[in-house]
Amino acid sequence: MEQYAAWFEETGLGDVPLVGGKNASLGEMVRNLAGEGIRVPEGFATTARAYRDYVEANAIIDTIRDRIGSYRAGGMPLSEAGHAVRESFLAGEFPEEVAATIVRFYHSLCTRTAVRDLPVAVRSSATAEDLPDASFAGQQETFLNVAGDQALLDACRRCFASLFTDRAISYRAMKGFDDLDVALSIGVQRMVRSDLGASGVMFSLETETGFPDAVVISAAWGLGETVVQGSVNPDKYLVFKPLLQIPGCFPVIETTRGAKERKLIYGQGGTARTRLVDTTRRERRALVLNEGEILQLGRWAAAIEQHYGCPMDMEWAKDGHSSELFIVQARPETVQAGRSATRFTTQRLLRTGPVLATGAAIGDSIAIGPACVIRHVSDIDRFRDGSILVTEMTDPDWVPVMQRAAGIITEHGGTTSHAAIVSRELGVPAIVGTGNAMESITDGQMLTLSCAEGDEGHVYDGTLEYETEDIDLQALPPTGTSILVNVASPAAAFKWWRLPVSGVGLARMEFIINDLIRVHPMALVHPERVTDRKQAQQIRELTQGFRDPGEYFVRTLAAGLAKLSAPYYPHPVIVRLSDFKTNEYAHLIGGEAFEEPEENPMLGFRGASRYYSDRYREGFALECRALKRVREHIGFTNVIIMVPFCRTPVEADRVLEAMAGNGLVRGENGLQVYMMCEIPSNVVLAEEFAARFDGFSIGSNDLTQLVLGVDRDSALLASLFDERDAAVTRMISDVITKAHAGGIKIGICGQGPSNHPDFAAFLVGQGIDSLSLNPDTVLKTIPVIAAAEQRKGTP
């Protein structure tokens, strides 16, 4: 290694004091991960010695000490101190040997790539950067599309000066770094032609909950600064790491198309190296990455994480000429990696209110405060401490006020934008990519910002009450009874991954159909029968980009179920087939064309009776295709299918036959099929049903309704609805005995155990195999179950 520069392949993680965190990491990947197929663009790094000699040759050290010292003592504003230091850098000249070394390495890079005046990215890499407890995200400058000797030296000079931007000075103070102890290395790297292709950011864990088995990828057209800064809403993809190495599995568990309104490309003429342009309509509607590219990036993220031994934050680029993918940065993730895996803290709103804006939730907490609407960074002096910052987007210049905010709301940006990264690091809840926050929120308005409801955050009008629960998971007693969870929303699935449970006892398909798909399945099979013009247009818009409308249903449902399954793999995930009533189906887009009114939908055309009926058979085929995709294409073979509201053994046979006709054969590829036990006939004929299914799950809500003859939705009869009534408990006790006699498992997934600890204790006493609880009741119910087991004398 020369004293002023080194090729990336000559450096590694041990060289952070010489070339900074960013460049040391690039060298580490070039040296050690090329064998994994990971591509890093060629380049070199200047050393800390080059920076220190520049500072010494231009007598800048005194300026730094005087101006920053005056600022720290309160004698000078930050803006004035920072400006003075930067000007001293910009007015300086490179020592002759430093400049000659940079130019010589650049010429060698041009020779290596066979491109004269090669366009390069010039990136800052501080020696206190990319550390496990401090990301320094975006604190120094990056210059793109730099070509030629003089342009390169000028960019390097500006990189040196950027060590003393106001945001960098403020950030170092917050993290406890001495300004004089930090040096700056510069990375000079061949530009990937992502201006003609795409780029983005990825993390090797789920950034909001810390779920360790997911890779989160953000993607947009053009150069990557738009994603990093958050000036566009990018595509988002989720990859499930444990299935990446299994042949034949394609574990992409979420694909969300972003707006991608603009892209950064090379400049044309003059001194501008880059320019921001609007994307085309086709670019906005298309996904940036295909499935193969998503999986390749996912595998690279997993390999990089394994090599570094910690969760990683990476930037990638796709060359528009060659279509090759590259990794252009990798650094340790600094937020979730530091959180305790044994403590579980949740916040929950006690009520909701009018929603002013929604966007991607950053963090999982709640903030309350007055809105402080600021449109431009030049006005940040107006920010009031403890307010909720509302702005278009943030960049590193906003950090001094972000750390004083109760919460942050931006109109643009995704979960890997600057606002998101810094908010996580500061521990400040944020909602990004709202699109309309500055229109719907007025300055000074009291807000409740909630990131505690899944991956979609909500901004509520006014002050709402909430509660906080903090539990030490290590203090929970063990139980012999399996504890499972009931889940419905893919958006909230990762929130509960730390719970000490053994799988999912009830995954409700209806939530995904109602909230994500929104269209009646039969309206996707026969869109020509939807005569309402508005609804027909809605269907065309929702299904745009899919080869047929039914494929929209299959892929959306499959991805939602896969995301529900991921936090619990390889434990069982019991997915209940759709159980809408006719009035609920009719409320879906296009539903009125396929549903007939019923006097009592609760006892009508629902559950199993629909699946083999000509009125719904084609819609059921879409459900089967989605489940087959989850198990066989994505790879979640732990998914168990459950049949609801199955009235007779004959009906059970018809449903199993319909499933087999759609490629879901009980017993093939390990497929298990369970039945909801929720009708008195299920108990009376339990032996016959047990011969047809692999397990039962008691639905205590419907069973109580039908045993007691009480409408579960009637407020007038609410006092009579009680699953602890002797008639109901006797039925439950009877079916548990019959299930075990038939050699199958039996659990419960109804509301009863979550609502009534004494009912949970009763079930344990009867020897039930599992209890599936609502996630927010798991931690308080486990001690009840353990105590009941002790009384019974079971382990």
Side-chain angles (χ1 to χ4, degrees):
M1 185 185 298
E2 297 192 27
Q3 64 174 338
Y4 291 132
W7 295 105
F8 286 153
E9 58 265 28
E10 296 175 327
T11 66
L13 290 182
D15 297 314
V16 173
L18 295 175
V19 296
K22 188 181 287 124
N23 289 334
S25 185
L26 289 170
E28 183 74 14
M29 289 189 291
V30 171
R31 287 169 62 177
N32 296 291
L33 292 173
E36 300 279 351
I38 295 172
R39 290 186 288 267
V40 177
E42 304 94 321
F44 64 91
T46 66
T47 65
R49 175 70 181 274
Y51 166 82
R52 297 195 189 282
D53 281 8
Y54 184 94
V55 168
E56 182 178 348
N58 292 282
I60 298 173
I61 192 77
D62 291 336
T63 305
I64 296 173
R65 184 179 291 112
D66 292 345
R67 298 298 191 274
I68 302 301
S70 178
Y71 157 66
R72 303 278 188 229
M76 179 181 290
L78 172 61
S79 58
E80 186 177 327
H83 178 76
V85 175
R86 292 192 298 274
E87 283 300 308
S88 66
F89 274 98
L90 295 176
E93 293 293 337
F94 280 95
E96 184 176 340
E97 189 176 352
V98 174
T101 301
I102 293 172
V103 170
R104 177 162 50 84
F105 269 74
Y106 174 62
H107 289 173
S108 295
L109 183 59
C110 293
T111 301
R112 284 186 176 199
T113 57
V115 178
R116 184 178 179 181
D117 288 339
L118 175 74
V120 291
V122 181
R123 304 179 186 275
S124 307
S125 178
T127 56
E129 188 174 65
D130 297 345
L131 303 177
D133 60 347
S135 70
F136 283 78
Q139 297 306 311
Q140 283 82 53
E141 298 287 356
T142 291
F143 300 92
L144 304 177
N145 192 27
V146 177
D149 299 354
Q150 285 306 122
L152 174 58
L153 290 172
D154 181 60
C156 290
R157 184 182 290 109
R158 291 179 180 278
C159 276
F160 283 164
S162 74
L163 190 59
F164 288 89
T165 58
D166 296 353
R167 66 207 184 216
I169 297 168
S170 176
Y171 189 90
R172 283 195 295 273
M174 181 177 70
K175 290 295 182 178
F177 289 94
D178 190 307
D179 294 286
L180 296 177
D181 289 342
V182 178
L184 192 93
S185 166
I186 298 167
V188 179
Q189 191 173 28
R190 173 174 70 86
M191 282 288 293
V192 176
R193 291 304 304 267
S194 56
D195 63 307
L196 303 175
S199 52
V201 176
M202 65 178 174
F203 288 82
S204 65
L205 50 59
E206 205 279 322
T207 48
E208 306 318 315
T209 65
F211 177 56
D213 286 338
V215 175
V216 181
I217 303 171
S218 295
W221 302 113
L223 301 170
E225 298 304 296
T226 57
V227 178
V228 174
Q229 294 173 358
S231 61
V232 300
N233 295 328
D235 289 350
K236 177 186 175 184
Y237 313 103
L238 275 179
V239 180
F240 186 59
K241 286 188 290 190
L243 295 177
L244 277 170
Q245 304 307 321
I246 298 179
C249 290
F250 300 86
V252 180
I253 61 175
E254 182 181 327
T255 299
T256 302
R257 185 174 61 191
K260 308 182 295 289
E261 306 97 332
R262 294 176 293 277
K263 65 178 179 179
L264 192 68
I265 62 173
Y266 282 7
Q268 290 182 340
T271 59
R273 299 188 181 98
T274 60
R275 60 194 178 104
L276 197 61
V277 299
D278 291 337
T279 50
T280 65
R281 185 179 182 185
R282 181 177 180 181
E283 286 173 323
R284 291 192 292 272
R285 289 184 170 182
L287 291 171
V288 171
L289 298 174
N290 60 41
E291 188 174 63
E293 292 166 336
I294 297 168
L295 292 175
Q296 181 176 339
L297 287 174
R299 291 188 183 96
W300 285 3
I304 292 169
E305 178 184 64
Q306 184 175 15
H307 177 76
Y308 283 74
C310 64
M312 297 296 289
D313 167 0
M314 295 147 283
E315 294 181 25
W316 61 270
K318 178 182 176 181
D319 192 289
H321 284 313
S322 66
S323 296
E324 290 180 308
L325 294 168
F326 294 87
I327 299 294
V328 295
Q329 273 194 49
R331 55 184 170 235
E333 192 274 340
T334 60
V335 179
Q336 293 293 347
R339 294 182 65 175
S340 170
T342 62
R343 298 203 69 83
F344 194 89
T345 302
T346 62
Q347 292 185 326
R348 183 171 67 89
L349 287 172
L350 299 178
R351 62 184 180 88
T352 59
V355 177
L356 301 174
T358 62
I362 308 302
D364 55 10
S365 58
I366 296 170
I368 295 175
C372 188
V373 180
I374 300 179
R375 296 189 175 274
H376 192 270
V377 69
S378 60
D379 297 322
I380 63 174
D381 289 342
R382 291 199 303 103
F383 183 78
R384 302 175 294 275
D385 288 5
S387 299
I388 294 178
L389 173 64
V390 183
T391 190
E392 184 177 352
M393 55 175 276
T394 70
D395 60 30
D397 289 326
W398 291 81
V399 172
V401 298
M402 293 173 73
Q403 59 188 301
R404 292 153 41 205
I408 296 166
I409 302 167
T410 69
E411 289 197 334
H412 302 299
T415 58
T416 54
S417 64
H418 173 270
I421 291 171
V422 173
S423 295
R424 289 188 202 100
E425 188 168 324
L426 296 173
V428 177
I431 298 177
V432 300
T434 60
N436 66 340
M438 299 182 75
E439 297 176 10
S440 60
I441 297 171
T442 59
D443 193 62
Q445 181 177 8
M446 286 301 297
L447 306 176
T448 297
L449 183 158
S450 174
C451 296
E453 301 162 81
D455 57 14
E456 182 175 73
H458 298 83
V459 182
Y460 295 101
D461 183 23
T463 300
L464 302 178
E465 292 183 90
Y466 67 93
E467 63 181 11
T468 301
E469 185 175 20
D470 186 14
I471 292 180
D472 183 356
L473 300 181
Q474 291 180 316
L476 291 172
T479 65
T481 308
S482 291
I483 308 299
L484 310 175
V485 287
N486 301 327
V487 294
S489 166
F494 288 178
K495 177 180 178 180
W496 305 104
W497 73 268
R498 286 186 173 88
L499 288 177
V501 298
S502 303
V504 176
L506 175 62
R508 297 182 180 93
M509 190 181 285
E510 296 87 9
F511 185 97
I512 301 172
I513 296 174
N514 189 69
D515 281 35
L516 300 183
I517 297 172
R518 299 171 52 205
V519 184
H520 193 290
M522 290 298 291
L524 294 169
V525 177
H526 292 290
E528 74 282 357
R529 290 170 56 182
V530 179
T531 55
D532 182 286
R533 290 186 178 180
K534 181 179 178 181
Q535 293 193 349
Q537 178 61 27
Q538 285 179 295
I539 293 173
R540 285 192 292 270
E541 290 175 357
L542 287 169
T543 60
Q544 191 173 53
F546 292 87
R547 63 186 183 190
D548 65 71
E551 190 68 14
Y552 161 72
F553 182 96
V554 171
R555 287 181 175 265
T556 307
L557 179 56
L561 293 175
K563 190 175 179 182
L564 287 178
S565 303
Y568 308 99
Y569 180 87
H571 297 299
V573 173
I574 303 171
V575 176
R576 187 178 69 186
L577 295 167
S578 64
D579 193 25
F580 280 130
K581 289 74 175 175
T582 50
N583 58 322
E584 294 168 334
Y585 264 120
H587 289 150
L588 295 171
I589 297 172
E592 291 183 357
F594 301 93
E595 300 296 331
E596 298 177 4
E598 291 185 296
E599 290 295 328
N600 189 350
M602 190 74 77
L603 296 178
F605 188 47
R606 61 174 287 200
S609 61
R610 299 183 74 96
Y611 310 146
Y612 56 88
S613 167
D614 288 340
R615 287 176 53 190
Y616 189 72
R617 189 188 303 274
E618 293 168 295
F620 182 62
L622 296 182
E623 293 184 31
C624 291
R625 281 172 55 191
L627 285 162
K628 190 174 175 65
R629 180 178 177 84
V630 170
R631 286 178 50 85
E632 299 178 14
H633 181 79
I634 300 176
F636 287 101
T637 54
N638 58 320
V639 164
I640 295 170
I641 297 174
M642 184 156 66
V643 180
F645 225 76
C646 186
R647 294 172 169 96
T648 68
V650 171
E651 188 164 67
D653 292 336
R654 289 177 176 173
V655 171
L656 292 170
E657 182 182 357
M659 288 174 57
N662 286 291
L664 294 172
V665 180
R666 179 188 169 208
E668 282 191 6
N669 300 317
L671 175 62
Q672 295 184 61
V673 183
Y674 281 25
M675 183 192 78
M676 288 286 291
C677 182
E678 55 190 341
I679 305 172
S681 63
N682 299 151
V683 179
V684 174
L685 300 177
E687 295 92 345
E688 294 184 47
F689 285 110
R692 291 164 167 81
F693 294 101
D694 299 290
F696 291 161
S697 185
I698 299 168
S700 56
N701 290 342
D702 268 330
L703 186 61
T704 301
Q705 172 178 245
L706 296 174
V707 169
L708 298 180
V710 175
D711 182 352
R712 67 192 239 191
D713 293 332
S714 170
L716 291 174
L717 302 176
S719 62
L720 297 175
F721 186 92
D722 190 347
E723 49 269 89
R724 296 168 295 176
D725 185 275
V728 181
T729 58
R730 191 171 299 179
M731 294 284 270
I732 290 174
S733 178
D734 189 25
V735 78
I736 291 173
T737 301
K738 289 179 177 179
H740 288 159
I744 66 170
K745 293 181 178 180
I746 183 166
I748 188 167
C749 60
Q751 196 78 10
S754 296
N755 291 342
H756 308 295
D758 58 331
F759 186 55
F762 158 75
L763 294 166
V764 170
Q766 298 303 305
I768 199 162
D769 296 306
S770 64
L771 283 82
S772 192
L773 308 168
N774 294 338
D776 58 352
T777 66
V778 166
L779 299 176
K780 66 180 74 170
T781 308
I782 285 178
V784 174
I785 295 168
E789 291 177 342
Q790 276 195 327
R791 289 193 296 272
K792 184 184 176 187
T794 57

